[in-house]
Amino acid sequence: MNNKINLILNTDSYKLSHYLQYSSDVKYLSAYIESRGGRWNRVLFYGLQMFLKEYLTRKITHEDIDEAKDIIKAHQMPFNEEDWRYIVDTYDGKLPLEIEAVKEGSIVQTENVLVQIKNTDPRLAWLVGYIETSLLRGVWYPVAVATNSYFCKQTILSFLRETGSPEGIDFALHDFGARGVSSFESAGIGSSAHLINFKGTDTITGILFAKKYYGIDMPATSIPASEHSTMISWGKNDEFKAFENMVDKFGEQTFACVIDSYDTLAAIDKWGIVRDSNNTTLFNRVAQLGGKVVLRPDSGNPVIMACECIEKMMEIAGYTINEKGYRVLPEHIRLIYGDGINPQSINDILSELKFRQISADNIVFGMGGALLQHINRDTLHFAMKINATSQDGNNWIPVSKNPITDPSKRSKHGRLALIKIGSSYKTIPLSELHTQQNKLVPIFRNGEILKEIDFNQIRLNVLES
């Protein structure tokens, strides 16, 4: 991320004029963030700490104000220079805001409050709405990716439990998304969100973000793997030699090899039927070396190709029947499918394999754009809305929007609390909390993070949710 980003300019243009629009009676504003529904009925909450560390803990400076003043005036919008100077002079540039949130790693039903924010200085009620743009963006994207990944995991787990063993679930969905996202920052945020659920990635940026913002040394691993450029550089007539070179270089460990450069099914023959100068097949050489080869078809109909490839691998290398009655390849041979993979195709492939009495243990998946990029704010209908105003910071007046043209956009009113009943969460008015435990915990106040969480604890929170 760019440490020189000016937070004053990290907003929408129309926000610049809002300080002139609030009633003079409003000294404090409260707002909240929720998912109003969408693709899934629950969300995995993750990513707020990244935003807080990167943006809200950085002090505003007079230099920031000077820069913003020039740009905003040229943009022909009003600029609240007086209050920004006040923040620097009175608070040393720290934003006088308080943010509370559910703990990261919580799995919460949609239509519940996830984050609640208010100002702590009566002069600066406008600041709550001003940071909506950056704060909402800092929440919806990591939550959407983490939730996407989580429900993919549940799908794979259900098939593994029915047809095989859940033992390998941590590496069942590999992140291929680095090149398919919109920015370096998106790659880091999105990939780290995926790693809450899985431990395999090819997006190094996600590792860096998990380490930087959540203090984990190494959240994921990968394996050596070929791509088409390394295979076709040998020429079509020497494809076997390209495969043989992979075994020579990586045969003592787990590695992946792409097989659709020319003819996918013929390539499997080269691995299991064609013999090298020592009269040994490549599959057998991998077994002798103690490694594991994961073949990767990368084109065609994902359901058909994944199943046909595994069938052919079994025809050549054999299989066993596990205790649940499903066929399993020898331990040193597996398949990874990473082309056209999305939540639906994962389910379709595993359903077809099950129909053919083939265990889900035989396959792992790679997902790129569908994991990190094929989502937007409306995937889970994320919104941030004000829910209360106050003159003294203690007595709150509930406010909300309630458009008759779209009841789904009705917002919550009044200061909120989040409670948990069994495995379900429920949003209630803060005034009705009484002795119940509020799952919204203060985590940020006046420029300081009050409570940090590490990556492993988030993973544990998911398992315990």
Side-chain angles (χ1 to χ4, degrees):
M1 296 187 192
N2 182 359
N3 290 326
K4 296 182 179 179
I5 289 175
N6 187 337
L7 186 64
I8 301 174
L9 298 171
N10 193 2
T11 192
D12 291 311
S13 296
Y14 79 136
K15 295 284 189 182
L16 300 170
S17 66
H18 288 181
Y19 74 101
L20 299 170
Q21 300 178 33
Y22 292 108
S23 166
S24 60
D25 292 334
V26 173
K27 303 301 181 183
Y28 294 89
L29 273 180
S30 172
Y32 74 100
I33 294 175
E34 71 171 329
S35 161
R36 296 185 293 206
R39 185 181 298 176
W40 306 282
N41 66 340
R42 294 176 185 262
V43 300
L44 196 170
F45 186 68
Y46 168 75
L48 179 59
Q49 184 166 291
M50 282 189 287
F51 174 79
L52 296 179
K53 283 189 172 184
E54 184 62 29
Y55 296 104
L56 292 199
T57 56
R58 192 182 75 79
K59 297 177 182 179
I60 301 296
T61 67
H62 284 297
E63 290 74 19
D64 291 331
I65 298 171
D66 292 340
E67 178 191 34
K69 179 181 178 180
D70 290 342
I71 292 173
I72 291 169
K73 291 297 183 183
H75 191 43
Q76 300 183 28
M77 292 294 288
F79 179 51
N80 192 359
E81 180 180 359
E82 185 178 350
D83 279 353
W84 284 114
R85 300 287 183 195
Y86 171 77
I87 290 172
V88 174
D89 295 337
T90 306
Y91 294 99
D92 192 28
K94 298 178 180 179
L95 297 186
L97 297 168
E98 180 178 297
I99 298 174
E100 54 186 353
V102 68
K103 66 184 178 182
E104 298 197 30
S106 299
I107 299 171
V108 183
Q109 300 100 297
T110 57
E111 301 181 57
N112 277 298
V113 57
L114 299 170
V115 179
Q116 193 164 226
I117 179 173
K118 64 181 180 180
N119 58 299
T120 59
D121 186 310
R123 176 172 171 170
L124 304 170
W126 59 268
L127 191 57
V128 172
Y130 194 91
I131 71 160
E132 175 191 1
T133 306
S134 58
L135 177 59
L136 186 60
R137 186 174 57 219
V139 170
W140 80 254
Y141 177 66
V143 171
V145 176
T147 305
N148 188 14
S149 173
Y150 173 81
F151 278 102
C152 286
K153 184 175 185 178
Q154 303 316 301
T155 297
I156 298 170
L157 262 176
S158 67
F159 282 95
L160 285 173
R161 288 170 176 151
E162 189 170 358
T163 70
S165 168
E167 183 177 333
I169 185 61
D170 284 348
F171 299 94
L173 182 61
H174 204 80
D175 174 11
F176 285 174
R179 71 190 62 184
V181 292
S182 58
S183 68
F184 177 86
E185 186 178 53
S186 296
I189 295 171
S191 179
S192 68
H194 169 69
L195 294 179
I196 294 300
N197 303 296
F198 294 94
K199 296 182 179 179
T201 187
D202 261 32
T203 304
I204 296 174
T205 322
I207 296 170
L208 301 179
F209 276 47
K211 181 180 178 69
K212 178 178 181 180
Y213 298 108
Y214 292 95
I216 189 170
D217 287 334
M218 182 47 64
T221 59
S222 190
I223 60 173
S226 69
E227 66 175 19
H228 294 102
S229 69
T230 63
M231 295 293 96
I232 65 175
S233 68
W234 292 75
K236 184 175 182 179
N237 292 335
D238 283 331
E239 186 180 41
F240 178 81
K241 290 183 179 179
F243 295 156
E244 188 175 32
N245 179 65
M246 291 293 292
V247 178
D248 291 341
K249 298 299 192 300
F250 309 112
E252 295 181 351
Q253 63 188 101
T254 301
F255 67 99
C257 189
V258 68
I259 58 171
D260 75 321
S261 297
Y262 310 107
D263 186 329
T264 304
L265 297 180
I268 296 175
D269 287 335
K270 292 176 182 177
W271 278 91
I273 295 177
V274 177
R275 295 178 179 270
D276 61 16
S277 58
N278 294 316
N279 199 32
T280 304
T281 68
L282 297 181
F283 277 160
N284 287 340
R285 279 188 60 194
V286 172
Q288 292 167 4
L289 291 168
K292 178 186 292 187
V293 60
V294 186
L295 298 186
R296 180 168 70 93
D298 196 48
S299 55
N301 181 293
V303 177
I304 294 172
M305 288 309 303
C307 294
E308 289 302 309
C309 286
I310 292 176
E311 292 274 22
K312 188 168 184 64
M313 292 160 72
M314 288 181 168
E315 176 186 327
I316 291 172
Y319 59 87
T320 57
I321 305 292
N322 66 19
E323 60 183 14
K324 296 176 180 177
Y326 291 85
R327 291 182 284 163
V328 183
L329 282 162
E331 187 61 31
H332 63 286
I333 305 170
R334 288 294 184 267
L335 190 88
I336 183 170
Y337 214 99
D339 177 62
I341 295 302
N342 55 52
Q344 185 61 53
S345 63
I346 288 175
N347 183 79
D348 292 345
I349 290 169
L350 293 175
S351 295
E352 179 64 20
L353 288 174
K354 177 185 172 185
F355 182 81
R356 299 185 187 210
Q357 291 297 116
I358 296 173
S359 171
D361 286 331
N362 295 289
I363 190 169
V364 295
F365 299 96
M367 190 186 299
L371 178 64
L372 304 186
Q373 191 72 14
H374 295 180
I375 53 176
N376 56 53
R377 185 167 70 91
D378 290 331
T379 302
L380 283 161
H381 301 297
F382 263 94
M384 176 172 158
K385 300 297 177 185
I386 70 165
N387 55 337
T389 66
S390 176
Q391 288 186 322
D392 60 8
N394 295 310
N395 300 295
W396 291 90
I397 301 172
V399 297
S400 65
K401 62 177 286 188
N402 188 12
I404 61 173
T405 51
D406 189 351
S408 70
K409 290 189 175 183
R410 180 186 301 120
S411 64
K412 293 175 169 55
H413 59 276
R415 289 283 288 171
L416 304 171
L418 184 68
I419 61 173
K420 192 173 185 182
I421 304 172
S423 61
S424 297
Y425 288 84
K426 182 180 180 181
T427 300
I428 63 172
L430 181 60
S431 60
E432 297 178 9
L433 182 63
H434 305 309
T435 61
Q436 299 173 95
Q437 183 183 16
N438 190 354
K439 296 299 183 179
L440 296 181
V441 178
I443 57 169
F444 176 89
R445 185 180 296 118
N446 297 345
E448 304 290 339
I449 294 178
L450 306 177
K451 186 177 181 62
E452 288 195 29
I453 190 168
D454 63 49
F455 206 75
N456 285 328
Q457 185 59 55
I458 297 174
R459 284 173 165 173
L460 288 174
N461 291 345
V462 174
L463 296 176
E464 293 171 358
S465 291

